[in-house]
Amino acid sequence: MTKAYVDSASIHAALSALLIGRERLGESPWEQQSLLEATYLLMHANVHIVPGLGHYAGPSGPYQHVLARFPQLEELPPPDRRKAARLTKSWAARNAGVLREALDELLVRDPIAQVYSNNSVECFWLHHVQMYGSLFNRDFIPQSARVLGCTQDELLKICERSTDVERVRKWLRDGRRSEEAVLAERAYWLASLLRGRLHEHLAKAASLQLLAHPFRRGVQLDLPEGPGKPVLRSEELFARMIIGAALTRRGPEQRVLSWVQDVRTARDAIRSGAVALPQTVLETHAEGYAIRAAETLRIGGHSKLLARSIDVTVSLGFPVLFALTVSPWWLGAAGPVATQTYRYFAGVSAGDQLARVARSTRSHFRALATLVPGRLERHLRTK
């Protein structure tokens, strides 16, 4: 059975979506996407979180609530990082221009990325320093300095200053406008991009699946598309009910606690076979199964409120998650399954076979672990 890694950036983006609330979430498609994906994937027993690089002092802030309910998320033994770090450094040294483009896309050119990055800094910079000791580590200083157009000494100085929580708090309070705050922010995001490349080498070496955050797409390995797993409509609506119920809570911490507890409850119920989320022909039937599952688990109140919780995600413009495919780490492993799955759920063609296949909820949620190791790719559409 294949273990799956979700990078911590995706989990933190899901938490950020809950922290900023409905008023701002409609302007941030990436945080909507991360919240939907994290809700669905955390119901799978094979999903874990990528271990960090370097010093780690433990969780801080809202992430503490996640690990309190899901302590097993960090239980996988950390893989050997030496080879992955060496490959990442070698690639970074050869691709300074690619990294510079990816960084500018995130912070300058893409307005969706800018909304995400600003929210992430606002919500998690202080917690990042408390978890890792600084805003970025020293592992990639030589490569980063070349990309950022500064000396290694300048970057080391900024790294050292970012160990001071009160200094970082002042950077935030002042709008991150000072020269050192600007350099610190660019170094922070560059380090995040490089970690994405390192995560791929780690997952490949350990034969794991990996779901990476969209902001890392500019530094990902070039991989073929492989086998896939459809997301049943009843499953997706059930995930939306959990999200909608959380977003109706008033305070940021209440939203996070509601979401984490309900996802944990759902994961346990799916493993025990206590809820049914099968394939259906009609949308109303899928919604009925989702509502019954939520009622069984006491998520979000009575059925009318549960139906409205779906409307919350629709009104905010949440995408539809309708399939996951795996891009395998090795060449030659791709097959026709992914294309068939994608076409069926996109409504193009694939015959009636998939519609007739009935799987139990428990076995369907185990299906992800039976797919080959590789990068998890999501197939989304907006309504």
Side-chain angles (χ1 to χ4, degrees), residues 295-306:
E295 287 178 329
T296 298
L297 304 180
R298 299 182 179 179
I299 292 171
H302 58 76
S303 58
K304 288 185 179 179
L305 288 177
L306 287 169

PDB file of all heavy atoms in Angstrom, residues 295-306:
ATOM      1  N   GLU A 295     -25.366  13.811   9.049  1.00  0.00           N
ATOM      2  CA  GLU A 295     -26.300  13.693  10.176  1.00  0.00           C
ATOM      3  C   GLU A 295     -25.876  12.578  11.120  1.00  0.00           C
ATOM      4  O   GLU A 295     -25.936  12.732  12.343  1.00  0.00           O
ATOM      5  CB  GLU A 295     -27.719  13.436   9.653  1.00  0.00           C
ATOM      6  CG  GLU A 295     -28.367  14.650   9.021  1.00  0.00           C
ATOM      7  CD  GLU A 295     -29.746  14.338   8.472  1.00  0.00           C
ATOM      8  OE1 GLU A 295     -29.985  13.183   8.043  1.00  0.00           O
ATOM      9  OE2 GLU A 295     -30.581  15.254   8.462  1.00  0.00           O
ATOM     10  N   THR A 296     -25.438  11.471  10.566  1.00  0.00           N
ATOM     11  CA  THR A 296     -24.973  10.347  11.388  1.00  0.00           C
ATOM     12  C   THR A 296     -23.823  10.773  12.275  1.00  0.00           C
ATOM     13  O   THR A 296     -23.730  10.371  13.449  1.00  0.00           O
ATOM     14  CB  THR A 296     -24.536   9.178  10.487  1.00  0.00           C
ATOM     15  OG1 THR A 296     -25.654   8.722   9.734  1.00  0.00           O
ATOM     16  CG2 THR A 296     -23.966   8.027  11.307  1.00  0.00           C
ATOM     17  N   LEU A 297     -22.952  11.614  11.746  1.00  0.00           N
ATOM     18  CA  LEU A 297     -21.763  12.046  12.492  1.00  0.00           C
ATOM     19  C   LEU A 297     -21.981  13.354  13.245  1.00  0.00           C
ATOM     20  O   LEU A 297     -21.045  13.884  13.837  1.00  0.00           O
ATOM     21  CB  LEU A 297     -20.581  12.186  11.527  1.00  0.00           C
ATOM     22  CG  LEU A 297     -20.245  10.928  10.716  1.00  0.00           C
ATOM     23  CD1 LEU A 297     -19.059  11.186   9.804  1.00  0.00           C
ATOM     24  CD2 LEU A 297     -19.979   9.745  11.621  1.00  0.00           C
ATOM     25  N   ARG A 298     -23.208  13.905  13.170  1.00  0.00           N
ATOM     26  CA  ARG A 298     -23.557  15.141  13.862  1.00  0.00           C
ATOM     27  C   ARG A 298     -22.677  16.312  13.425  1.00  0.00           C
ATOM     28  O   ARG A 298     -22.161  17.081  14.237  1.00  0.00           O
ATOM     29  CB  ARG A 298     -23.482  14.952  15.383  1.00  0.00           C
ATOM     30  CG  ARG A 298     -24.440  13.899  15.898  1.00  0.00           C
ATOM     31  CD  ARG A 298     -24.371  13.763  17.406  1.00  0.00           C
ATOM     32  NE  ARG A 298     -25.329  12.749  17.868  1.00  0.00           N
ATOM     33  CZ  ARG A 298     -25.479  12.389  19.138  1.00  0.00           C
ATOM     34  NH1 ARG A 298     -24.730  12.958  20.076  1.00  0.00           N
ATOM     35  NH2 ARG A 298     -26.346  11.472  19.481  1.00  0.00           N
ATOM     36  N   ILE A 299     -22.516  16.418  12.127  1.00  0.00           N
ATOM     37  CA  ILE A 299     -21.743  17.508  11.539  1.00  0.00           C
ATOM     38  C   ILE A 299     -22.694  18.597  11.074  1.00  0.00           C
ATOM     39  O   ILE A 299     -23.589  18.348  10.267  1.00  0.00           O
ATOM     40  CB  ILE A 299     -20.902  17.009  10.350  1.00  0.00           C
ATOM     41  CG1 ILE A 299     -19.790  16.082  10.843  1.00  0.00           C
ATOM     42  CG2 ILE A 299     -20.310  18.170   9.552  1.00  0.00           C
ATOM     43  CD1 ILE A 299     -19.051  15.363   9.747  1.00  0.00           C
ATOM     44  N   GLY A 300     -22.559  19.795  11.592  1.00  0.00           N
ATOM     45  CA  GLY A 300     -23.219  20.965  11.021  1.00  0.00           C
ATOM     46  C   GLY A 300     -24.696  21.142  11.279  1.00  0.00           C
ATOM     47  O   GLY A 300     -25.303  22.026  10.696  1.00  0.00           O
ATOM     48  N   GLY A 301     -25.334  20.297  12.123  1.00  0.00           N
ATOM     49  CA  GLY A 301     -26.731  20.538  12.432  1.00  0.00           C
ATOM     50  C   GLY A 301     -27.683  19.747  11.553  1.00  0.00           C
ATOM     51  O   GLY A 301     -27.314  18.740  10.957  1.00  0.00           O
ATOM     52  N   HIS A 302     -28.956  20.216  11.435  1.00  0.00           N
ATOM     53  CA  HIS A 302     -29.983  19.442  10.733  1.00  0.00           C
ATOM     54  C   HIS A 302     -29.821  19.550   9.222  1.00  0.00           C
ATOM     55  O   HIS A 302     -29.008  20.320   8.700  1.00  0.00           O
ATOM     56  CB  HIS A 302     -31.385  19.887  11.176  1.00  0.00           C
ATOM     57  CG  HIS A 302     -31.686  21.330  10.960  1.00  0.00           C
ATOM     58  ND1 HIS A 302     -31.977  21.856   9.727  1.00  0.00           N
ATOM     59  CD2 HIS A 302     -31.753  22.367  11.839  1.00  0.00           C
ATOM     60  CE1 HIS A 302     -32.218  23.144   9.832  1.00  0.00           C
ATOM     61  NE2 HIS A 302     -32.080  23.487  11.109  1.00  0.00           N
ATOM     62  N   SER A 303     -30.642  18.779   8.501  1.00  0.00           N
ATOM     63  CA  SER A 303     -30.436  18.585   7.065  1.00  0.00           C
ATOM     64  C   SER A 303     -30.538  19.878   6.269  1.00  0.00           C
ATOM     65  O   SER A 303     -29.820  20.066   5.292  1.00  0.00           O
ATOM     66  CB  SER A 303     -31.440  17.565   6.530  1.00  0.00           C
ATOM     67  OG  SER A 303     -32.764  17.991   6.777  1.00  0.00           O
ATOM     68  N   LYS A 304     -31.433  20.800   6.666  1.00  0.00           N
ATOM     69  CA  LYS A 304     -31.541  22.050   5.927  1.00  0.00           C
ATOM     70  C   LYS A 304     -30.256  22.867   6.036  1.00  0.00           C
ATOM     71  O   LYS A 304     -29.796  23.462   5.063  1.00  0.00           O
ATOM     72  CB  LYS A 304     -32.734  22.855   6.434  1.00  0.00           C
ATOM     73  CG  LYS A 304     -34.084  22.266   6.041  1.00  0.00           C
ATOM     74  CD  LYS A 304     -35.228  23.172   6.470  1.00  0.00           C
ATOM     75  CE  LYS A 304     -36.563  22.582   6.038  1.00  0.00           C
ATOM     76  NZ  LYS A 304     -37.705  23.430   6.474  1.00  0.00           N
ATOM     77  N   LEU A 305     -29.674  22.889   7.227  1.00  0.00           N
ATOM     78  CA  LEU A 305     -28.412  23.612   7.395  1.00  0.00           C
ATOM     79  C   LEU A 305     -27.288  22.933   6.624  1.00  0.00           C
ATOM     80  O   LEU A 305     -26.404  23.591   6.087  1.00  0.00           O
ATOM     81  CB  LEU A 305     -28.050  23.711   8.876  1.00  0.00           C
ATOM     82  CG  LEU A 305     -28.904  24.666   9.718  1.00  0.00           C
ATOM     83  CD1 LEU A 305     -28.479  24.603  11.186  1.00  0.00           C
ATOM     84  CD2 LEU A 305     -28.792  26.094   9.205  1.00  0.00           C
ATOM     85  N   LEU A 306     -27.339  21.597   6.557  1.00  0.00           N
ATOM     86  CA  LEU A 306     -26.306  20.871   5.819  1.00  0.00           C
ATOM     87  C   LEU A 306     -26.387  21.189   4.325  1.00  0.00           C
ATOM     88  O   LEU A 306     -25.367  21.365   3.663  1.00  0.00           O
ATOM     89  CB  LEU A 306     -26.454  19.370   6.058  1.00  0.00           C
ATOM     90  CG  LEU A 306     -26.023  18.899   7.445  1.00  0.00           C
ATOM     91  CD1 LEU A 306     -26.469  17.459   7.677  1.00  0.00           C
ATOM     92  CD2 LEU A 306     -24.516  19.013   7.613  1.00  0.00           C
TER      93      LEU A 306
END
